[in-house]
Amino acid sequence: MPDPERSERRLRPAPLLFEPSEAVADPEHFFDLESIEDPADLLARATELTLAFRAATDRAVEFQAIAAAQLADPRRFDRLTTADIALRAQWTEDYTKKMVEFGRDLLSGEGIASQ
């Protein structure tokens, strides 16, 4: 049964727009937040971005786990050890083992692979 809380997190509360290169060069510029003068509007937009970044992070972690599980798959002739994956991903080996298991769960239909 799908977790309703997990489904809610999948909603994309705010679009993550790419910033023009000249804006990225300005260290004070961040998704045009500095130009919002009304504190209520600033709080609302900053909150939208925070939720969007959290959702993007959760999604990216799921894809990391899937990739780790695929790389560690014993059926692959070029499979990697958890130590090799940990080195590539800059994780500890214990964390890598957990990510491989998480990825296997996702691939077996408990997560994004079945959506």
Side-chain angles (χ1 to χ4, degrees):
M1 172 182 241
D3 182 2
E5 182 179 317
R6 189 175 188 100
S7 297
E8 284 181 31
R9 283 191 298 164
R10 294 236 183 267
L11 299 176
R12 293 194 173 106
L16 294 176
L17 305 174
F18 292 99
E19 299 202 77
S21 57
E22 57 274 1
V24 173
D26 178 6
E28 296 301 314
H29 184 85
F30 187 73
F31 288 90
D32 210 27
L33 292 178
E34 69 286 344
S35 69
I36 300 173
E37 294 185 18
D38 181 337
D41 290 343
L42 178 59
L43 179 61
R45 181 61 181 150
T47 300
E48 288 175 346
L49 284 170
T50 299
L51 294 173
F53 282 124
R54 284 182 189 154
T57 299
D58 290 346
R59 188 84 171 165
V61 168
E62 289 175 343
F63 280 105
Q64 283 182 310
I66 288 172
Q70 290 172 333
L71 289 169
D73 188 339
R75 296 173 295 186
R76 290 176 60 110
F77 76 92
D78 60 345
R79 87 176 202 124
L80 298 177
T81 65
T82 53
D84 291 332
I85 297 168
L87 187 63
R88 286 184 182 204
Q90 299 177 358
W91 296 333
T92 65
E93 195 165 348
D94 286 340
Y95 183 76
T96 302
K97 289 175 186 175
K98 291 176 184 176
M99 287 295 278
V100 167
E101 287 304 313
F102 179 45
R104 287 179 179 151
D105 290 344
L106 291 171
L107 289 168
S108 71
E110 296 179 19
I112 62 174
S114 64
Q115 294 179 358

